[in-house]
Amino acid sequence: IRNLVAALQDPIALVRWDAVRALKEQGEDAEAAVPALIQALSDSDLLVSSTAAEALGRIPSAATITVPRLIEAMAKDPSTRYGAAEALGRLGPVAKAAIPVLLGALHDDNRVVRGNAAAALGRVGAPADLVAPQLRNLLQDDFESVREAASGALVALGESEGVPVTASRKWPERSFSTDAWRGELPESRYVFSK
């Protein structure tokens, strides 16, 4: 972990991205890297900052420290916003403080941010009466991935009446992440379940 943290200071962005991806794969074992990952949220390279956000979402034991930083990251560039939304969703109910910023992100210009924010609202257990109307609006989004994320969130929140369910993609376990940059978007459809 120490060597990966040191690599986050490398002047070459690809080296920093490789380091942050390796820390992301370490999950909870990368807890010692949380301060460096928080710093990497401000990296000048968008892949580094987005992947740092995703890595923080895989360290739930540090949620009290990381959730406020991920909420702040929701005000940055689109790449960092979609990584932060994905991370907040992955953290689940401990990220309830992010509900207001995730609600705002449902109106983001970036479809991946909208989709990840919708999925995150289902995962954090947002109050259905507060978020269901906005999630239902996303069922009319121009992008299928956003519609599917909104559908999955509605189902997870117990608001499945009238929600179209696409049966071949598994939700809520996967949302778009920096895998999208490598062309590794999921091909199948979400399966919505509580």
Side-chain angles (χ1 to χ4, degrees), residues 81-160:
R81 288 196 309 271
Y82 78 65
E86 192 271 340
L88 289 164
R90 184 177 288 275
L91 289 170
V94 298
K96 282 191 184 234
I99 291 172
V101 75
L102 291 169
L103 276 169
L106 296 179
H107 305 286
D108 199 280
D109 290 337
N110 184 290
R111 69 182 171 93
V112 179
V113 174
R114 288 193 309 275
N116 281 358
L121 286 166
R123 291 175 182 157
V124 301
D129 59 331
L130 175 67
V131 301
Q134 291 187 56
L135 290 170
R136 286 190 184 283
N137 288 340
L138 286 183
L139 297 176
Q140 306 304 315
D141 196 273
D142 291 338
F143 295 95
E144 181 181 15
S145 60
V146 176
R147 293 190 305 266
E148 290 175 344
S151 294
L154 285 163
V155 170
L157 296 171
E159 295 288 322
S160 60

Side-chain angles (χ1 to χ4, degrees), residues 4-193:
L4 293 172
V5 168
L8 291 175
Q9 302 304 314
D10 197 278
I12 300 170
L14 186 58
V15 172
R16 295 192 310 274
W17 187 43
D18 282 342
V20 79
R21 284 186 338 176
L23 289 166
K24 175 182 162 183
E25 294 305 315
Q26 294 292 319
E28 195 70 50
D29 291 340
E31 186 174 10
V34 166
L37 288 168
I38 289 172
Q39 185 176 357
L41 289 172
S42 298
D43 195 280
S44 60
D45 185 88
L46 301 180
L47 286 173
V48 173
S49 62
S50 179
T51 308
E54 293 172 16
L56 290 169
R58 293 177 184 228
I59 309 172
S61 61
T64 57
I65 298 167
T66 61
V67 167
R69 299 303 167 259
L70 291 167
I71 290 171
E72 291 170 7
M74 290 294 295
K76 295 179 182 264
D77 60 90
S79 295
T80 304
R81 288 196 309 271
Y82 78 65
E86 192 271 340
L88 289 164
R90 184 177 288 275
L91 289 170
V94 298
K96 282 191 184 234
I99 291 172
V101 75
L102 291 169
L103 276 169
L106 296 179
H107 305 286
D108 199 280
D109 290 337
N110 184 290
R111 69 182 171 93
V112 179
V113 174
R114 288 193 309 275
N116 281 358
L121 286 166
R123 291 175 182 157
V124 301
D129 59 331
L130 175 67
V131 301
Q134 291 187 56
L135 290 170
R136 286 190 184 283
N137 288 340
L138 286 183
L139 297 176
Q140 306 304 315
D141 196 273
D142 291 338
F143 295 95
E144 181 181 15
S145 60
V146 176
R147 293 190 305 266
E148 290 175 344
S151 294
L154 285 163
V155 170
L157 296 171
E159 295 288 322
S160 60
E161 186 175 326
V163 173
V165 177
T166 307
S168 59
R169 207 181 256 186
K170 198 168 187 183
W171 187 93
E173 291 142 12
R174 182 142 187 201
S175 59
F176 295 117
S177 66
T178 51
D179 295 339
W181 288 92
R182 295 193 310 267
E184 297 175 9
L185 291 175
E187 293 295 325
S188 58
R189 304 274 176 232
Y190 286 102
V191 171
F192 302 114
S193 61

